[in-house]
């Protein structure tokens, strides 16, 4: 039987903070943000517009990049948990639960969750899933609640999720490689796998020696070595990402938020500049070689409307704690104190708060690409022998 191991799937909420459940999050974020502005900006008559500027969202995401930053630590308990988000999960037509998702912290999106990592939510080893059939029903099917847009603050411009499909040996680069999913849609993420084999020296600069003390010229690269130690394998994309982040010094973000004398536009420009690492990517190729053997995943998205009105009604009746996700912290407290509350959730509210995605192979086949020398050593030797014979005959001809 042909068995192909399933990829890993990592998802995150586009808005890391669960504002509805944490009403004080709005106040805390606004208070800290405004405290960083100049007195002139705070006294401006348009201060309410400043409070709604989307640079606050940039401010939140850039602060999530700073581990153990006081602001980031204050946000930790206000981020979306998997209990908040996961509505249903099936793999190969069998139920999966939150225990099948390993938590992963993203500097851009807060708490994210990885399926098929080989670890559960408590980081204990579990079996890795494999697939023996193609098609939607034989892959991963997930439904998510990502928050009701009616309760998002004014600086949030979009809602939804972001999903990265990656190999088991690869670190999830969600911000760089993720596909954004919109609410009110079911997205099919159809996967094709390609195996690439490249030629090493003298034909190219790829590496197949993935030991920290290897003999290749790249073994001395700190980014190459750091990637090996972090992943216990190697990924050029991850190496370049770390290299560019280091050269750009992402911790320069702190210079934007420690200034205290900026206008909103100055802060926005500072944050964008401090977190834009793309100019450094070309400088990193000399430190981050290609792999001689690589397994590439190509993901093609297809969208359909979701859910139907009847299915939304069914979800509200059959999914555990479905309605509670739309309740404020005050309503939840009243409910748990056995108080009577009136709950009315419209179809549009449900549609704008949930999404679904399916990840699967379209066919149990793969593409294989292999580099071969254009001219082999035997070809070169044969060419030299022919030249020698030619000149030998030419000399004989002239000597007659």
């Amino acid at each position: 039987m042909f068995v192909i191991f399933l990829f890993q799937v990592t998802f995150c909420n586009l808005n890391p903070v669960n504002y509805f459940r944490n009403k004080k999050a709005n106040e805390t974020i606004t208070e800290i943000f405004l405290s960083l502005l100049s007195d002139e900006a705070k006294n401006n008559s348009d201060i309410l517009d400043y409070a709604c500027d989307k640079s606050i969202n940039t401010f939140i995401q850039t602060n999530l990049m700073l581990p153990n930053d006081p602001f980031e630590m204050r946000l930790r308990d206000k981020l979306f948990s998997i209990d908040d988000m996961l509505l249903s999960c099936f793999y190969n037509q069998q139920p999966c639960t939150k225990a099948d998702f390993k938590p992963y912290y993203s500097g851009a999106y807060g708490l994210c969750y990885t399926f098929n990592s080989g670890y559960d939510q408590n980081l204990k080893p579990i079996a890795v899933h494999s697939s023996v059939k193609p098609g939607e029903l034989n892959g991963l099917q997930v439904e998510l609640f990502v928050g009701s847009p009616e309760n998002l603050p004014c600086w949030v411009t979009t809602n939804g999720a972001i999903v990265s499909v990656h190999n088991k040996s690869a670190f999830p680069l969600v911000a760089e490689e993720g596909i954004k999913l919109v609410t009110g849609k079911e997205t099919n993420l159809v996967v094709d796998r390609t195996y690439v084999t490249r030629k090493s020296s003298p034909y190219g600069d790829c590496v197949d020696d993935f030991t920290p003390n290897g003999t290749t010229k790249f073994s001395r690269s700190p980014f190459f070595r750091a990637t090996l130690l972090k992943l216990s394998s190697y990924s050029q994309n991850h190496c370049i990402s770390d290299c560019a982040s280091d050269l750009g010094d992402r911790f320069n973000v702190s210079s934007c938020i420690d200034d205290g004398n900026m206008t909103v536009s100055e802060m926005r420009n500072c944050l964008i500049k401090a977190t834009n690492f793309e100019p450094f990517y070309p400088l990193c190729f000399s430190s981050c070689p290609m792999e001689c053997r690589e397994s590439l995943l190509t993901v093609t998205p297809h969208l359909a409307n979701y859910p139907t009105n009847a299915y939304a009604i069914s979800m509200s009746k059959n999914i555990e704690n479905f309605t509670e996700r739309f309740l404020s912290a005050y309503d939840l407290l009243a409910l748990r104190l056995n108080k009577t509350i009136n709950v009315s959730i419209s179809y549009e509210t449900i549609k704008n708060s949930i999404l679904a995605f399916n990840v699967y192979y379209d066919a149990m086949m793969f593409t294989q690409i292999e580099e071969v020398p254009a001219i082999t050593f035997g070809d070169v030797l044969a060419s030299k022998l022919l030249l020698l014979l030619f000149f030998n005959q030419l000399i004989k001809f002239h000597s007659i």
Side-chain angles (χ1 to χ4, degrees):
M1 182 181 294
F2 182 70
V3 177
I4 188 165
F5 284 104
L6 185 68
F7 30 74
Q8 292 186 11
V9 180
T10 298
F11 73 82
C12 321
N13 199 312
L14 286 179
N15 298 306
V17 181
N18 190 344
Y19 293 101
F20 194 40
R21 288 289 176 85
N22 301 280
K23 291 294 185 182
K24 289 188 177 180
N26 296 14
E27 300 171 15
T28 302
I29 294 167
T30 305
E31 178 185 339
I32 295 174
F33 180 76
L34 294 179
S35 71
L36 300 172
L37 300 178
S38 64
D39 291 336
E40 180 182 354
K42 284 184 284 189
N43 293 328
N44 192 297
S45 60
D46 295 328
I47 187 64
L48 290 178
D49 292 333
Y50 288 161
C52 286
D53 194 281
K54 66 180 181 180
S55 56
I56 293 187
N57 215 32
T58 307
F59 166 74
I60 293 169
Q61 292 194 335
T62 49
N63 272 273
L64 287 173
M65 291 182 177
L66 306 175
N68 303 318
D69 178 81
F71 177 81
E72 181 267 338
M73 295 298 288
R74 291 173 69 179
L75 274 184
R76 279 270 176 151
D77 63 345
K78 299 175 176 63
L79 303 179
F80 270 97
S81 69
I82 194 160
D83 289 302
D84 297 327
M85 296 179 65
L86 190 64
L87 295 175
S88 72
C89 175
F90 288 88
Y91 169 72
N92 200 16
Q93 305 182 55
Q94 298 299 315
C96 42
T97 68
K98 64 181 182 181
D100 294 297
F101 290 84
K102 173 188 173 184
Y104 156 70
Y105 189 77
S106 162
Y109 297 106
L111 281 174
C112 302
Y113 303 93
T114 301
F115 177 80
N116 211 33
S117 67
Y119 295 91
D120 66 10
Q121 61 177 345
N122 298 314
L123 305 183
K124 293 181 179 179
I126 56 175
V128 175
H129 298 284
S130 59
S131 184
V132 295
K133 293 181 181 180
E136 178 182 331
L137 294 178
N138 301 300
L140 177 67
Q141 300 172 289
V142 175
E143 292 176 306
L144 297 178
F145 171 79
V146 294
S148 176
E150 289 88 347
N151 302 298
L152 293 173
C154 56
W155 58 76
V156 175
T157 59
T158 186
N159 72 318
I162 185 167
V163 174
S164 172
V165 182
H166 50 96
N167 287 307
K168 188 177 186 300
S169 59
F171 204 72
L173 298 174
V174 181
E176 294 87 347
E177 300 176 351
I179 297 173
K180 292 184 178 181
L181 310 183
V182 297
T183 57
K185 300 290 182 182
E186 179 180 70
T187 306
N188 284 345
L189 301 173
V190 183
V191 181
D192 292 304
R193 187 180 289 275
T194 301
Y195 292 99
V196 179
T197 303
R198 303 181 180 92
K199 302 296 289 184
S200 58
S201 180
Y203 302 101
D205 282 332
C206 72
V207 293
D208 51 13
D209 183 358
F210 297 131
T211 55
N213 298 317
T215 57
T216 70
K217 65 178 181 180
F218 298 104
S219 300
R220 296 187 295 274
S221 163
F223 304 111
F224 178 78
R225 294 166 64 89
T227 303
L228 289 177
L229 293 173
K230 188 173 184 178
L231 302 181
S232 299
S233 60
Y234 177 74
S235 164
Q236 185 190 43
N237 288 346
H238 192 278
C239 180
I240 289 175
S241 177
D242 277 1
C243 170
S245 299
D246 186 82
L247 294 178
D249 190 6
R250 68 173 60 191
F251 293 99
N252 278 338
V253 169
S254 59
S255 67
C256 302
I257 61 179
D258 291 340
D259 188 286
N261 294 303
M262 292 185 178
T263 65
V264 172
S265 60
E266 288 172 340
M267 180 180 287
R268 184 195 303 116
N269 292 335
C270 182
L271 290 171
I272 290 173
K273 184 178 180 180
T275 56
N276 180 21
F277 307 131
E278 287 189 14
F280 301 99
Y281 287 169
L283 303 177
C284 295
F285 285 102
S286 60
S287 299
C288 300
M290 290 189 296
E291 307 95 310
C292 288
R293 294 176 180 82
E294 186 177 13
S295 175
L296 302 175
L297 295 176
T298 303
V299 181
T300 306
H302 302 279
L303 279 70
N305 286 326
Y306 162 92
T308 63
N309 187 53
Y311 184 64
I313 294 172
S314 174
M315 293 176 78
S316 64
K317 292 179 179 179
N318 298 320
I319 294 181
E320 185 179 2
N321 300 325
F322 182 82
T323 303
E324 288 188 11
R325 289 173 168 83
F326 295 86
L327 301 181
S328 66
Y330 177 82
D331 288 336
L332 268 179
L333 178 61
L335 190 66
R336 287 168 185 170
L337 291 174
N338 296 319
K339 303 293 184 181
T340 301
I341 59 173
N342 294 320
V343 180
S344 178
I345 308 170
S346 69
Y347 167 67
E348 284 302 316
T349 297
I350 294 175
K351 183 179 177 68
N352 292 331
S353 306
I354 65 175
L355 58 85
F357 67 89
N358 311 305
V359 190
Y360 59 91
Y361 287 107
D362 191 32
M364 299 307 289
M365 297 185 294
F366 60 86
T367 302
Q368 186 161 351
I369 300 174
E370 183 175 357
E371 284 187 346
V372 295
I375 300 176
T376 65
F377 178 75
D379 294 332
V380 174
L381 187 60
S383 298
K384 288 185 176 181
L385 288 173
L386 286 173
L387 283 173
L388 286 172
L389 288 171
F390 173 77
F391 283 115
N392 185 45
Q393 293 296 323
L394 191 64
I395 291 169
K396 287 182 178 179
F397 176 79
H398 283 290
S399 63
I400 295 176

